[in-house]
Amino acid sequence: MKVGFIGLGNVGGKLSGSLLRNGFDLTVLDRKPELVAGFVGRGAAAAGDAASLMRNCDVVITCLPSPAASAAVMEEMLPEVVPGKIWLEMSTTDDAEIRRLAALVEAKGGTAVDCPVSGGCHRADTGNISIFAGCERETFERVLPLLMTLGRRVLHTGPVGSASVLKVVTNYLATANLVSVCEALVTAKAAGMDMNTAYEAIKISSGTSFVHETESQVILNGSRDISFTMDLVSKDIGLFQAIADRAGVPLEISPLLNEIFRNGRERYGPRELSPNIIRRLEDATGLDIRAPGFPPEMVDDEPEEPGYEVVPTGIARPVAAE
């Protein structure tokens, strides 16, 4: 199987690295020549453009920063889509847009899979990230071996578009948790708590979470580096708000989160690291929320393991024929 990968950024570069590490015939494309050169030096081939990548590969994966970027790349690739071609969209995107693009691919005889990832760049780097996959069940079973190389926990979410909805839902929850963690840490500091002790208290309590156990560490280190920026957070929570608006859900926390990150982008710049949203509270209080002993970036300390399908509670999966 020849695999093409477009988008070698913070997440895409790590996902494509898993393919290369596991012996896939990989061809890559990115706007930054230095990123492509790095992969070529490790054994990948370089594509001249998106159209040739689709023409020469069995599967093309995109991992791009916005729905507009994915649409522009698909416009280039679409003339080369023929029966048997598979497109995996691993970007965090708009569910309506992925359905539109998937329909174009399928009209040409190709197959589209909506499969964003979740769990942080450090887990993308080790092949231990989680993957949501929106597509027909038959298609899911075809691409499952590839997805189990890219990630550890793979969830079939339903038809195309469903994975993007759930990805945006989970990113919204992570953002809400990040803001609440920032408030908790600053309040603990203002109340005179030792921050190392505060971190452990939260970690062993009902207040803990994935966000606390990862992002709180780089916040307390001072690097605030999780390879994710405020503009990307704003995109994701904006997509969540749009889903709620279309469904007529009168959200209360979401509009506030959007305003907090709008203000953060305005103060610190759109490419500021997202955990530095805590600076709004540091600036307001004059407090320095750092503590010794925490790492500057997250590293996955779990060994790379074979992936597997996650089966939702209450759903029976058919047993494959012998």
Side-chain angles (χ1 to χ4, degrees), residues 189-209:
K189 178 75 170 184
M193 297 298 102
D194 172 80
M195 297 311 294
N196 296 73
T197 304
Y199 173 84
E200 294 299 335
I202 297 169
K203 183 178 177 181
I204 66 172
S205 74
S206 59
T208 196
S209 65

Side-chain angles (χ1 to χ4, degrees), residues 130-131 137 140 144 152-156 308-313 317:
S130 297
I131 301 177
R137 181 68 198 181
F140 176 77
L144 183 57
R152 183 188 294 187
R153 301 168 185 87
V154 184
L155 176 67
H156 181 221
Y308 60 89
E309 180 185 357
V310 175
V311 179
T313 301
R317 293 296 186 210

